[in-house]
Amino acid sequence: MLNVLMLGVGQCGNRILDAMNREAFGGGASKLSRYYLRPKFPSRVETLAVNTAINDLKELRFTTAKDRLHVPNLHGVGANRNVGKQAFMENRDMIMGEIEKRGDFDIAFVITSTSGGTGSSFSPLLINELKRQYKDIAVITVAVLPFREEGSIYLQNAAFSMRELMELDAEGIILADNQYMKRFSGDIASAYDKINTMIAQRLLFLIESLDSEMLSVTDLGDFKTVMNGGLRIGTMGFYQADSKNLSIRDAIQNSLKPANLLYPANVADDAARAMIIIQGSQEHLDVDEITKEVERLSASAGHVFKGIVVKKGRPKVLSVFTLASAPELEAIYAQAARAMQEEKEKRTRARKQLDEAFAHIEDLEEIY
Amino acid sequence: MSKIQISKNEIRPARIMIYNCDVLGWRPNYYRMTFVCLILVLLLIGANGAAKSDEEDDDEITFRDFSLYIGDRIELEDYQIELIEIQSIRDGLVVMRVSKVGGSLDEQRALLLDRPNNFDRGADNGGITITIAEIFDEQSARVRLEYKEKLGTPRKRSSDRPQTAPEKPDLWVDKSFDKSEMNVGDESKVTITIKNNGTGPAVGIEVQDIPPLPQFTYIAGYPPKIKETLDPGQSDSAVYMVNAAKEGTVSIPSVLIRYADRKGNSLSNRSEPFSIVILPRSRADLNINAEDNITLALEEEGRLNITILNSGSASATKIEVTGDVRPGEGLEAVGLDKSFFEIAPGDAAAFSASIHGQKPGDYAIRLKANYNDGEGLAIREATARVTVLEREYKYHYLLAIIPIAIISFWIYRRHREYKY
Ligand SMILES: Nc1nc2c(ncn2[C@@H]2O[C@H](COP(=O)(O)OP(=O)(O)OP(=O)(O)O)[C@@H](O)[C@H]2O)c(=O)[nH]1
Ligand SMILES: [Mg+2]
């Protein structure tokens, strides 16, 4: 059995973690479920929500109180990653102590937005600490990219935090892009819920699959290998066949389609390594079809691991792949740089204008 | 047998009269009043002359009154005067016998009241004159004897024969109903009894019985028939049937009987009037008494005791008792329907039904008795209320509290677990 640590850092990370806890109560659980059910994770999963804002923690519904860790910081972080880093360092022992209490882990997922203050600044430092403390732990970052229109600070934060995350000696990053998934819903609150649920489902499916006895073996090692490929940045796709079309081939193809991915990528062009995990009733799982489909994918994506889990139900397919190139991410950097440049110019221009204004009183004294 | 003659001599005015009070019974009648007045007038006119004539003449005519019973005699010199019979008080006829020692006179004659009768050519001519002055009753009369003083002093000799009872009928009549209280519709026997308690036979008996209508109707035997003649000691009765028709107190008029004695004297008598109470028509009146306010536990078996009492005055017949339960479900009752042939007045019939509570609630068992009350169909109803209790959860609630407490504790713990 795998020992899994799930860390949600910052508001975004907390809420995705809460969505995971909700999913663990059973699909679409209501608030009351927590009174009569227990979250059921496929493996031993410890969850911990970490935040500097106590209100964000209070907002959670499916995470137990002991799994919410408040990092006291007098005035909050205010999207300032430097303040955030300082706050983490000041509270590092407390945070790490809280994690240690939860025992040993084979794998940790650190879920965070890349653009906020707390999550994006805590996560790289936290991952470093985890790597230091736990010898053989695999640490995967689940990083959420902001809506592009959220402003220059969020873009700047995303750019810098992504660089930090990529430079870490960790197992890789799974990207989720708010901007990309925005299309699912009109208003922000329900878009968040929808995105969070999608991320939570995929992560739980992944854990379950890694811990199952598979027909065709994939395990944590295989997963690590996949994540280690390319830029060590990857994403996930997921598809559940509907009753009208139970074809496993179509299900595999659908799991790789852009509509079912968390981050916009072209598998055929960009994938470095991939892993396809298939679950469903025996009768739907045509091994030839699966093999054929996996081979087709291998032609473009390099190595493809496949895992098959026999479990009653319609076919479900999870695809995990790492990218050899990330054009969208590059675009963000360009956008961030432009925004930062603009900001800088605006600032100097404003400063210059103000200096000119000051010039008027340069030779004058205050008269009383 | 002596021949009875009625003399038609004129009334001769008396010149001297001595009123002899001791022979007068104090009984007012017309004759006597007239007589007293006459004496008073004569005393005033001729008191002087009377005294004179006593001294002067021994041949003066004098008179004397005697009260005689039948068989009594007056003796004057050779004359013997005997009261034989009061033949008729109404007609004023008295039979006297006058005889003379030696047998020269022996005559029995019926004398009319207040008519002087001469014997031996009368007192004026040395004989005697007899006048019936007054008839007291069937047995006695006052007799006046006129005679010449030289004949001596008349003496009364009471009868040595035993006094024979006069032949007088005396009818007693009685009317009676065989019950003094009855109900409308009841038949009653009316008996009229007549008895001759007298000494002589009663003849020509007539009965006048006025029927007490309209409270009664006559069924049979009316008018009552009684023998026309009843000898002393004999009695006769007549019976007729009546039917009480109207309630109330009825005064029964007396029966009048008219009759005569052998001599033709009319007599009458009447019975005592009385009254009779006629009560309303007798009917049966049933009362259903069922135990009321029975309380049953759920699923408990109980009994409903029902008594039907006839408090009326007639028998109830063809009694059919039926019962139904409202509301129709939840209380089972077996044996509510029952029938009886008859319940006599004052009697009661009892039975019981079994009841079984199946659902908590209030129920009404309505009992209905149809019967014939003697007049026609009558109906009586009664209701018995039955309450079936809720199941008692005396200690059971503890069983509910424990899981509630456990759940509450559980929920609270969960709440604490997630409360941040
Ligand atoms: N997918 C998703 N994105 C979210 C959610 N909440 C916030 N975000 C994104 O996260 C970014 C903001 O970062 P947060 O996580 O809110 O910030 P933080 O880490 O709490 O840091 P501070 O609030 O600055 O202390 C924005 O780009 C939001 O679009 C969420 O529930 N789901
Ligand atoms: Mg926040």
Side-chain angles (χ1 to χ4, degrees):
Chain A
M1 183 180 300
L2 280 179
N3 296 302
V4 183
L5 177 65
M6 286 282 175
L7 292 168
V9 193
Q11 185 177 24
C12 176
N14 291 167
R15 289 168 69 171
I16 292 168
L17 188 83
D18 206 47
M20 284 191 69
N21 273 321
R22 188 187 67 219
E23 288 301 308
F25 277 111
S30 82
K31 239 178 91 172
L32 291 175
S33 308
R34 66 188 198 204
Y35 288 112
Y36 55 90
L37 290 176
R38 275 286 177 203
K40 237 177 79 195
F41 289 102
S43 305
R44 189 180 79 83
V45 176
E46 291 287 340
T47 63
L48 186 66
V50 183
N51 209 328
T52 50
I54 196 154
N55 284 337
D56 291 350
L57 288 171
K58 280 188 174 154
E59 197 189 280
L60 307 181
R61 293 285 167 263
F62 297 93
T63 307
T64 60
K66 72 169 174 53
D67 283 352
R68 304 182 211 185
L69 181 63
H70 180 225
V71 179
N73 192 67
L74 203 51
H75 301 293
V77 175
N80 188 331
R81 296 183 68 245
N82 293 331
V83 179
K85 281 175 184 167
Q86 196 148 0
F88 178 84
M89 290 318 289
E90 280 165 13
N91 294 284
R92 187 189 61 178
D93 294 346
M94 187 266 280
I95 296 166
M96 292 317 291
E98 204 53 52
I99 292 167
E100 270 171 53
K101 273 193 222 162
R102 286 164 169 74
D104 212 353
F105 297 102
D106 303 308
I107 183 166
F109 290 89
V110 178
I111 310 163
T112 179
S113 77
T114 51
S115 48
T118 307
S120 68
S121 60
F122 272 35
S123 296
L125 300 174
L126 185 59
I127 291 164
N128 258 335
E129 289 300 317
L130 285 172
K131 275 288 179 188
R132 238 165 34 126
Q133 209 126 11
Y134 297 93
K135 285 264 147 51
D136 300 320
I137 196 165
V139 180
I140 306 291
T141 311
V142 179
V144 179
L145 299 175
F147 298 109
R148 304 296 183 266
E149 63 272 19
E150 275 180 308
S152 60
I153 297 187
Y154 277 3
L155 279 174
Q156 171 196 308
N157 281 349
F160 282 93
S161 69
M162 274 306 290
R163 192 179 63 187
E164 281 173 20
L165 288 170
M166 288 193 289
E167 283 168 358
L168 285 172
D169 176 29
E171 273 61 32
I173 301 166
I174 292 174
L175 276 181
D177 192 348
N178 277 349
Q179 179 71 18
Y180 177 62
M181 293 184 287
K182 183 168 96 170
R183 64 187 190 279
F184 296 129
S185 187
D187 72 298
I188 291 185
S190 53
Y192 280 162
D193 283 344
K194 175 88 185 167
I195 295 163
N196 297 350
T197 306
M198 283 175 74
I199 297 168
Q201 277 178 346
R202 280 159 174 76
L203 288 176
L204 285 173
F205 192 95
L206 177 67
I207 296 168
E208 186 187 346
S209 305
L210 293 179
D211 213 15
S212 297
E213 288 202 11
M214 299 201 189
L215 263 181
S216 177
V217 187
T218 55
D219 56 19
L220 185 54
D222 295 343
F223 178 61
K224 280 189 197 168
T225 309
V226 172
M227 290 310 296
N228 219 12
L231 300 168
R232 292 207 286 170
I233 297 172
T235 189
M236 296 192 289
F238 181 77
Y239 185 80
Q240 175 167 21
D242 58 24
S243 47
K244 275 177 263 160
N245 180 9
L246 295 165
S247 155
I248 191 65
R249 191 173 58 101
D250 291 350
I252 295 167
Q253 284 177 3
N254 277 322
S255 76
L256 295 164
K257 277 190 178 153
N260 295 318
L261 300 177
L262 297 178
Y263 169 82
N266 188 331
V267 181
D269 300 341
D270 305 329
R273 285 174 194 168
M275 185 176 197
I276 303 290
I277 300 164
I278 299 156
Q279 195 188 77
S281 302
Q282 180 92 59
E283 68 265 29
H284 303 311
L285 308 181
D286 185 332
V287 183
D288 285 351
E289 293 251 307
I290 295 167
T291 315
K292 227 189 271 169
E293 207 43 48
V294 168
E295 276 169 8
R296 218 166 57 86
L297 187 61
S298 307
S300 54
H303 193 85
V304 178
F305 293 91
K306 73 168 191 281
I308 299 170
V309 182
V310 178
K311 194 178 172 185
K312 219 169 156 347
R314 282 179 274 151
K316 292 176 187 170
V317 180
L318 178 78
S319 56
V320 184
F321 54 91
T322 42
L323 302 167
S325 61
E328 189 58 34
L329 201 58
E330 287 160 24
I332 285 179
Y333 278 91
Q335 207 178 335
R338 215 172 27 248
M340 284 162 70
Q341 193 61 45
E342 256 172 44
E343 178 104 9
K344 205 172 166 188
E345 279 168 12
K346 235 195 253 172
R347 229 186 243 200
T348 25
R349 203 167 41 241
R351 184 70 226 186
K352 224 172 97 190
Q353 277 167 4
L354 205 57
D355 284 346
E356 279 165 19
F358 291 161
H360 293 297
I361 56 161
E362 203 166 340
D363 303 322
L364 299 176
E365 292 272 317
E366 290 152 286
I367 311 161
Y368 298 106
Chain B
M1 271 290 237
S2 50
K3 201 183 153 197
I4 297 169
Q5 291 177 325
I6 296 172
S7 123
K8 293 197 169 121
N9 292 359
E10 291 170 11
I11 299 168
R12 197 173 58 91
R15 281 175 290 179
I16 299 161
M17 290 186 153
I18 295 162
Y19 184 61
N20 191 347
C21 287
D22 71 298
V23 298
L24 280 171
W26 189 247
R27 196 185 291 184
N29 73 44
Y30 174 72
Y31 298 107
R32 202 180 62 192
M33 291 295 284
T34 317
F35 180 68
V36 168
C37 291
L38 245 164
I39 288 170
L40 284 169
V41 172
L42 289 174
L43 277 175
L44 285 168
I45 295 166
N48 211 15
K52 240 187 260 173
S53 64
D54 268 358
E55 289 160 26
E56 287 167 13
D57 192 358
D58 252 8
D59 266 0
E60 280 302 302
I61 292 170
T62 185
F63 75 92
R64 222 172 138 175
D65 282 3
F66 294 92
S67 288
L68 297 182
Y69 280 89
I70 289 166
D72 287 353
R73 282 180 301 167
I74 309 165
E75 287 175 3
L76 178 66
E77 208 186 27
D78 290 339
Y79 289 102
Q80 294 202 345
I81 303 140
E82 187 182 348
L83 174 63
I84 302 300
E85 187 190 359
I86 311 289
Q87 198 167 348
S88 169
I89 297 171
R90 194 179 59 190
D91 298 342
L93 269 178
V94 175
V95 179
M96 302 292 291
R97 181 181 174 177
V98 180
S99 60
K100 242 177 137 173
V101 181
S104 61
L105 175 67
D106 189 357
E107 191 185 341
Q108 190 159 305
R109 200 191 285 181
L111 280 70
L112 260 171
L113 186 70
D114 286 334
R115 294 285 175 82
N117 278 260
N118 293 330
F119 293 87
D120 271 353
R121 300 185 328 280
D124 288 342
N125 302 308
I128 53 170
T129 299
I130 297 170
T131 308
I132 305 298
E134 190 182 356
I135 300 171
F136 299 133
D137 55 24
E138 300 274 290
Q139 319 254 352
S140 57
R142 186 156 55 83
V143 177
R144 176 173 298 164
L145 177 63
E146 287 168 82
Y147 56 96
K148 286 236 167 94
E149 274 184 355
K150 64 173 186 196
L151 287 180
T153 306
R155 259 179 248 289
K156 185 181 157 185
R157 291 268 184 272
S158 287
S159 168
D160 44 3
R161 284 179 282 156
Q163 203 142 10
T164 54
E167 288 206 331
K168 196 195 171 194
D170 180 10
L171 293 193
W172 165 85
V173 62
D174 178 61
K175 181 178 184 177
S176 68
F177 278 65
D178 60 355
K179 22 186 127 99
S180 62
E181 245 189 40
M182 58 189 95
N183 294 98
V184 173
D186 280 2
E187 275 184 16
S188 180
K189 199 161 80 177
V190 183
T191 309
I192 290 173
T193 309
I194 296 175
K195 190 175 180 200
N196 190 349
N197 289 329
T199 49
V203 296
I205 300 169
E206 277 174 39
V207 178
Q208 269 181 41
D209 181 24
I210 302 157
L213 292 170
Q215 286 91 339
F216 288 95
T217 55
Y218 291 81
I219 302 174
Y222 190 82
K225 287 186 179 59
I226 295 285
K227 281 184 191 160
E228 283 204 358
T229 309
L230 282 177
D231 287 334
Q234 258 194 340
S235 67
D236 189 21
S237 60
V239 169
Y240 59 90
M241 301 298 292
V242 291
N243 199 333
K246 257 175 81 176
E247 60 176 277
T249 304
V250 190
S251 51
I252 307 293
S254 52
V255 184
L256 176 69
I257 45 165
R258 291 181 195 284
Y259 60 101
D261 59 11
R262 212 175 358 220
K263 293 172 210 158
N265 291 314
S266 292
L267 295 163
S268 68
N269 199 2
R270 48 177 73 241
S271 65
E272 290 292 321
F274 61 96
S275 49
I276 279 202
V277 177
I278 302 176
L279 300 170
R281 189 182 289 280
S282 70
R283 281 190 185 182
D285 184 10
L286 295 188
N287 296 314
I288 307 176
N289 297 314
E291 242 176 291
D292 203 4
N293 293 324
I294 297 173
T295 306
L296 279 183
L298 195 61
E299 297 301 336
E300 192 194 344
E301 194 83 47
R303 296 208 78 76
L304 173 67
N305 296 319
I306 302 154
T307 311
I308 301 175
L309 174 74
N310 185 355
S311 60
S313 49
S315 275
T317 52
K318 286 203 221 151
I319 302 109
E320 302 272 357
V321 185
T322 55
D324 67 310
V325 183
R326 306 243 167 132
E329 244 151 63
L331 181 71
E332 191 188 41
V334 179
L336 288 176
D337 296 357
K338 194 94 181 169
S339 53
F340 301 95
F341 285 113
E342 184 176 4
I343 302 174
D347 274 7
F351 66 102
S352 68
S354 75
I355 49 179
H356 181 216
Q358 295 166 330
K359 224 172 82 185
D362 291 325
Y363 300 89
I365 298 179
R366 300 201 311 181
L367 294 157
K368 199 165 111 178
N370 284 318
Y371 65 99
N372 192 320
D373 69 356
E375 265 285 89
L377 191 71
I379 296 171
R380 289 288 179 279
E381 286 182 330
T383 303
R385 279 159 297 178
V386 179
T387 303
V388 178
L389 299 174
E390 300 275 351
R391 200 187 289 285
E392 273 194 64
Y393 292 106
K394 242 182 181 170
Y395 301 103
H396 294 46
Y397 70 92
L398 285 175
L399 294 177
I401 278 180
I402 291 163
I404 287 170
I406 290 170
I407 290 166
S408 304
F409 177 71
W410 176 275
I411 287 173
Y412 175 73
R413 233 183 49 179
R414 279 293 172 93
H415 174 74
R416 283 298 303 270
E417 202 174 329
Y418 283 91
K419 173 80 190 152
Y420 185 81

